[in-house]
mmCIF file with all atom_site columns, all heavy atoms in Angstrom:
data_model
loop_
_atom_site.group_PDB
_atom_site.id
_atom_site.type_symbol
_atom_site.label_atom_id
_atom_site.label_alt_id
_atom_site.label_comp_id
_atom_site.label_asym_id
_atom_site.label_entity_id
_atom_site.label_seq_id
_atom_site.pdbx_PDB_ins_code
_atom_site.Cartn_x
_atom_site.Cartn_y
_atom_site.Cartn_z
_atom_site.occupancy
_atom_site.B_iso_or_equiv
_atom_site.pdbx_formal_charge
_atom_site.auth_seq_id
_atom_site.auth_comp_id
_atom_site.auth_asym_id
_atom_site.auth_atom_id
_atom_site.pdbx_PDB_model_num
ATOM 1   N N   . VAL A 1 18 ? -45.870 75.099 27.554 1.00 0.00 ? 18 VAL A N   1
ATOM 2   C CA  . VAL A 1 18 ? -44.940 74.217 26.802 1.00 0.00 ? 18 VAL A CA  1
ATOM 3   C C   . VAL A 1 18 ? -45.325 72.766 26.980 1.00 0.00 ? 18 VAL A C   1
ATOM 4   O O   . VAL A 1 18 ? -45.271 71.955 26.060 1.00 0.00 ? 18 VAL A O   1
ATOM 5   C CB  . VAL A 1 18 ? -43.488 74.449 27.337 1.00 0.00 ? 18 VAL A CB  1
ATOM 6   C CG1 . VAL A 1 18 ? -42.480 73.409 26.803 1.00 0.00 ? 18 VAL A CG1 1
ATOM 7   C CG2 . VAL A 1 18 ? -43.052 75.851 26.905 1.00 0.00 ? 18 VAL A CG2 1
ATOM 8   N N   . LEU A 1 19 ? -45.706 72.368 28.206 1.00 0.00 ? 19 LEU A N   1
ATOM 9   C CA  . LEU A 1 19 ? -46.095 71.008 28.435 1.00 0.00 ? 19 LEU A CA  1
ATOM 10  C C   . LEU A 1 19 ? -47.334 70.601 27.665 1.00 0.00 ? 19 LEU A C   1
ATOM 11  O O   . LEU A 1 19 ? -47.442 69.507 27.051 1.00 0.00 ? 19 LEU A O   1
ATOM 12  C CB  . LEU A 1 19 ? -46.339 70.737 29.912 1.00 0.00 ? 19 LEU A CB  1
ATOM 13  C CG  . LEU A 1 19 ? -45.086 70.775 30.802 1.00 0.00 ? 19 LEU A CG  1
ATOM 14  C CD1 . LEU A 1 19 ? -45.474 70.600 32.297 1.00 0.00 ? 19 LEU A CD1 1
ATOM 15  C CD2 . LEU A 1 19 ? -44.098 69.690 30.416 1.00 0.00 ? 19 LEU A CD2 1
ATOM 16  N N   . LEU A 1 20 ? -48.315 71.576 27.541 1.00 0.00 ? 20 LEU A N   1
ATOM 17  C CA  . LEU A 1 20 ? -49.539 71.306 26.801 1.00 0.00 ? 20 LEU A CA  1
ATOM 18  C C   . LEU A 1 20 ? -49.197 71.158 25.296 1.00 0.00 ? 20 LEU A C   1
ATOM 19  O O   . LEU A 1 20 ? -49.750 70.298 24.603 1.00 0.00 ? 20 LEU A O   1
ATOM 20  C CB  . LEU A 1 20 ? -50.562 72.422 27.029 1.00 0.00 ? 20 LEU A CB  1
ATOM 21  C CG  . LEU A 1 20 ? -51.132 72.472 28.461 1.00 0.00 ? 20 LEU A CG  1
ATOM 22  C CD1 . LEU A 1 20 ? -52.048 73.716 28.614 1.00 0.00 ? 20 LEU A CD1 1
ATOM 23  C CD2 . LEU A 1 20 ? -51.964 71.172 28.747 1.00 0.00 ? 20 LEU A CD2 1
ATOM 24  N N   . LEU A 1 21 ? -48.349 72.040 24.804 1.00 0.00 ? 21 LEU A N   1
ATOM 25  C CA  . LEU A 1 21 ? -47.996 71.949 23.350 1.00 0.00 ? 21 LEU A CA  1
ATOM 26  C C   . LEU A 1 21 ? -47.239 70.633 23.043 1.00 0.00 ? 21 LEU A C   1
ATOM 27  O O   . LEU A 1 21 ? -47.405 70.026 22.003 1.00 0.00 ? 21 LEU A O   1
ATOM 28  C CB  . LEU A 1 21 ? -47.158 73.172 22.982 1.00 0.00 ? 21 LEU A CB  1
ATOM 29  C CG  . LEU A 1 21 ? -47.842 74.520 23.004 1.00 0.00 ? 21 LEU A CG  1
ATOM 30  C CD1 . LEU A 1 21 ? -46.887 75.672 22.698 1.00 0.00 ? 21 LEU A CD1 1
ATOM 31  C CD2 . LEU A 1 21 ? -49.008 74.530 21.969 1.00 0.00 ? 21 LEU A CD2 1
ATOM 32  N N   . THR A 1 22 ? -46.339 70.242 23.981 1.00 0.00 ? 22 THR A N   1
ATOM 33  C CA  . THR A 1 22 ? -45.598 69.013 23.750 1.00 0.00 ? 22 THR A CA  1
ATOM 34  C C   . THR A 1 22 ? -46.502 67.802 23.742 1.00 0.00 ? 22 THR A C   1
ATOM 35  O O   . THR A 1 22 ? -46.405 66.893 22.906 1.00 0.00 ? 22 THR A O   1
ATOM 36  C CB  . THR A 1 22 ? -44.520 68.838 24.852 1.00 0.00 ? 22 THR A CB  1
ATOM 37  O OG1 . THR A 1 22 ? -43.673 69.957 24.832 1.00 0.00 ? 22 THR A OG1 1
ATOM 38  C CG2 . THR A 1 22 ? -43.735 67.557 24.682 1.00 0.00 ? 22 THR A CG2 1
ATOM 39  N N   . ALA A 1 23 ? -47.497 67.820 24.656 1.00 0.00 ? 23 ALA A N   1
ATOM 40  C CA  . ALA A 1 23 ? -48.455 66.689 24.722 1.00 0.00 ? 23 ALA A CA  1
ATOM 41  C C   . ALA A 1 23 ? -49.288 66.634 23.502 1.00 0.00 ? 23 ALA A C   1
ATOM 42  O O   . ALA A 1 23 ? -49.712 65.584 22.982 1.00 0.00 ? 23 ALA A O   1
ATOM 43  C CB  . ALA A 1 23 ? -49.309 66.801 25.956 1.00 0.00 ? 23 ALA A CB  1
ATOM 44  N N   . ALA A 1 24 ? -49.601 67.832 22.918 1.00 0.00 ? 24 ALA A N   1
ATOM 45  C CA  . ALA A 1 24 ? -50.427 67.829 21.743 1.00 0.00 ? 24 ALA A CA  1
ATOM 46  C C   . ALA A 1 24 ? -49.653 67.586 20.463 1.00 0.00 ? 24 ALA A C   1
ATOM 47  O O   . ALA A 1 24 ? -50.210 67.574 19.375 1.00 0.00 ? 24 ALA A O   1
ATOM 48  C CB  . ALA A 1 24 ? -51.127 69.239 21.629 1.00 0.00 ? 24 ALA A CB  1
ATOM 49  N N   . GLY A 1 25 ? -48.276 67.466 20.525 1.00 0.00 ? 25 GLY A N   1
ATOM 50  C CA  . GLY A 1 25 ? -47.465 67.174 19.371 1.00 0.00 ? 25 GLY A CA  1
ATOM 51  C C   . GLY A 1 25 ? -47.063 68.360 18.573 1.00 0.00 ? 25 GLY A C   1
ATOM 52  O O   . GLY A 1 25 ? -46.611 68.315 17.437 1.00 0.00 ? 25 GLY A O   1
ATOM 53  N N   . ILE A 1 26 ? -47.307 69.590 19.125 1.00 0.00 ? 26 ILE A N   1
ATOM 54  C CA  . ILE A 1 26 ? -47.033 70.786 18.401 1.00 0.00 ? 26 ILE A CA  1
ATOM 55  C C   . ILE A 1 26 ? -45.603 71.297 18.701 1.00 0.00 ? 26 ILE A C   1
ATOM 56  O O   . ILE A 1 26 ? -44.872 71.670 17.860 1.00 0.00 ? 26 ILE A O   1
ATOM 57  C CB  . ILE A 1 26 ? -48.061 71.936 18.778 1.00 0.00 ? 26 ILE A CB  1
ATOM 58  C CG1 . ILE A 1 26 ? -49.425 71.450 18.380 1.00 0.00 ? 26 ILE A CG1 1
ATOM 59  C CG2 . ILE A 1 26 ? -47.706 73.240 18.120 1.00 0.00 ? 26 ILE A CG2 1
ATOM 60  C CD1 . ILE A 1 26 ? -50.543 72.383 18.832 1.00 0.00 ? 26 ILE A CD1 1
ATOM 61  N N   . TYR A 1 27 ? -45.158 71.177 19.949 1.00 0.00 ? 27 TYR A N   1
ATOM 62  C CA  . TYR A 1 27 ? -43.824 71.631 20.306 1.00 0.00 ? 27 TYR A CA  1
ATOM 63  C C   . TYR A 1 27 ? -42.840 70.612 19.967 1.00 0.00 ? 27 TYR A C   1
ATOM 64  O O   . TYR A 1 27 ? -43.023 69.403 20.193 1.00 0.00 ? 27 TYR A O   1
ATOM 65  C CB  . TYR A 1 27 ? -43.812 71.922 21.835 1.00 0.00 ? 27 TYR A CB  1
ATOM 66  C CG  . TYR A 1 27 ? -42.544 72.674 22.293 1.00 0.00 ? 27 TYR A CG  1
ATOM 67  C CD1 . TYR A 1 27 ? -42.530 74.051 22.174 1.00 0.00 ? 27 TYR A CD1 1
ATOM 68  C CD2 . TYR A 1 27 ? -41.503 71.983 22.848 1.00 0.00 ? 27 TYR A CD2 1
ATOM 69  C CE1 . TYR A 1 27 ? -41.393 74.711 22.573 1.00 0.00 ? 27 TYR A CE1 1
ATOM 70  C CE2 . TYR A 1 27 ? -40.393 72.685 23.230 1.00 0.00 ? 27 TYR A CE2 1
ATOM 71  C CZ  . TYR A 1 27 ? -40.337 74.067 23.127 1.00 0.00 ? 27 TYR A CZ  1
ATOM 72  O OH  . TYR A 1 27 ? -39.176 74.720 23.538 1.00 0.00 ? 27 TYR A OH  1
ATOM 73  N N   . PRO A 1 28 ? -41.784 70.942 19.241 1.00 0.00 ? 28 PRO A N   1
ATOM 74  C CA  . PRO A 1 28 ? -40.819 69.961 18.758 1.00 0.00 ? 28 PRO A CA  1
ATOM 75  C C   . PRO A 1 28 ? -40.058 69.274 19.913 1.00 0.00 ? 28 PRO A C   1
ATOM 76  O O   . PRO A 1 28 ? -39.648 69.935 20.847 1.00 0.00 ? 28 PRO A O   1
ATOM 77  C CB  . PRO A 1 28 ? -39.901 70.752 17.868 1.00 0.00 ? 28 PRO A CB  1
ATOM 78  C CG  . PRO A 1 28 ? -40.015 72.146 18.378 1.00 0.00 ? 28 PRO A CG  1
ATOM 79  C CD  . PRO A 1 28 ? -41.392 72.329 18.882 1.00 0.00 ? 28 PRO A CD  1
ATOM 80  N N   . ASP A 1 29 ? -39.822 67.893 19.728 1.00 0.00 ? 29 ASP A N   1
ATOM 81  C CA  . ASP A 1 29 ? -39.007 67.159 20.708 1.00 0.00 ? 29 ASP A CA  1
ATOM 82  C C   . ASP A 1 29 ? -37.649 66.980 20.098 1.00 0.00 ? 29 ASP A C   1
ATOM 83  O O   . ASP A 1 29 ? -37.360 66.096 19.315 1.00 0.00 ? 29 ASP A O   1
ATOM 84  C CB  . ASP A 1 29 ? -39.634 65.811 20.996 1.00 0.00 ? 29 ASP A CB  1
ATOM 85  C CG  . ASP A 1 29 ? -38.976 65.098 22.153 1.00 0.00 ? 29 ASP A CG  1
ATOM 86  O OD1 . ASP A 1 29 ? -37.935 65.552 22.612 1.00 0.00 ? 29 ASP A OD1 1
ATOM 87  O OD2 . ASP A 1 29 ? -39.493 63.996 22.499 1.00 0.00 ? 29 ASP A OD2 1
ATOM 88  N N   . TYR A 1 30 ? -36.770 67.920 20.435 1.00 0.00 ? 30 TYR A N   1
ATOM 89  C CA  . TYR A 1 30 ? -35.425 67.940 19.841 1.00 0.00 ? 30 TYR A CA  1
ATOM 90  C C   . TYR A 1 30 ? -34.626 66.701 20.203 1.00 0.00 ? 30 TYR A C   1
ATOM 91  O O   . TYR A 1 30 ? -33.838 66.219 19.383 1.00 0.00 ? 30 TYR A O   1
ATOM 92  C CB  . TYR A 1 30 ? -34.684 69.194 20.231 1.00 0.00 ? 30 TYR A CB  1
ATOM 93  C CG  . TYR A 1 30 ? -35.246 70.461 19.651 1.00 0.00 ? 30 TYR A CG  1
ATOM 94  C CD1 . TYR A 1 30 ? -36.038 71.298 20.412 1.00 0.00 ? 30 TYR A CD1 1
ATOM 95  C CD2 . TYR A 1 30 ? -35.052 70.740 18.291 1.00 0.00 ? 30 TYR A CD2 1
ATOM 96  C CE1 . TYR A 1 30 ? -36.588 72.443 19.840 1.00 0.00 ? 30 TYR A CE1 1
ATOM 97  C CE2 . TYR A 1 30 ? -35.571 71.900 17.802 1.00 0.00 ? 30 TYR A CE2 1
ATOM 98  C CZ  . TYR A 1 30 ? -36.326 72.700 18.509 1.00 0.00 ? 30 TYR A CZ  1
ATOM 99  O OH  . TYR A 1 30 ? -36.868 73.862 18.007 1.00 0.00 ? 30 TYR A OH  1
ATOM 100 N N   . SER A 1 31 ? -34.782 66.214 21.379 1.00 0.00 ? 31 SER A N   1
ATOM 101 C CA  . SER A 1 31 ? -34.027 65.025 21.766 1.00 0.00 ? 31 SER A CA  1
ATOM 102 C C   . SER A 1 31 ? -34.405 63.785 21.004 1.00 0.00 ? 31 SER A C   1
ATOM 103 O O   . SER A 1 31 ? -33.624 62.980 20.538 1.00 0.00 ? 31 SER A O   1
ATOM 104 C CB  . SER A 1 31 ? -34.164 64.713 23.259 1.00 0.00 ? 31 SER A CB  1
ATOM 105 O OG  . SER A 1 31 ? -35.564 64.497 23.566 1.00 0.00 ? 31 SER A OG  1
ATOM 106 N N   . HIS A 1 32 ? -35.775 63.649 20.667 1.00 0.00 ? 32 HIS A N   1
ATOM 107 C CA  . HIS A 1 32 ? -36.207 62.505 19.890 1.00 0.00 ? 32 HIS A CA  1
ATOM 108 C C   . HIS A 1 32 ? -35.697 62.607 18.485 1.00 0.00 ? 32 HIS A C   1
ATOM 109 O O   . HIS A 1 32 ? -35.289 61.577 17.855 1.00 0.00 ? 32 HIS A O   1
ATOM 110 C CB  . HIS A 1 32 ? -37.735 62.524 19.959 1.00 0.00 ? 32 HIS A CB  1
ATOM 111 C CG  . HIS A 1 32 ? -38.332 61.352 19.154 1.00 0.00 ? 32 HIS A CG  1
ATOM 112 N ND1 . HIS A 1 32 ? -38.200 60.001 19.567 1.00 0.00 ? 32 HIS A ND1 1
ATOM 113 C CD2 . HIS A 1 32 ? -39.082 61.373 18.029 1.00 0.00 ? 32 HIS A CD2 1
ATOM 114 C CE1 . HIS A 1 32 ? -38.824 59.248 18.647 1.00 0.00 ? 32 HIS A CE1 1
ATOM 115 N NE2 . HIS A 1 32 ? -39.392 60.043 17.754 1.00 0.00 ? 32 HIS A NE2 1
#
Side-chain angles (χ1 to χ4, degrees):
V18 169
L19 290 177
L20 291 175
L21 293 175
T22 301
I26 299 174
Y27 192 81
D29 189 352
Y30 291 103
S31 62
H32 180 67

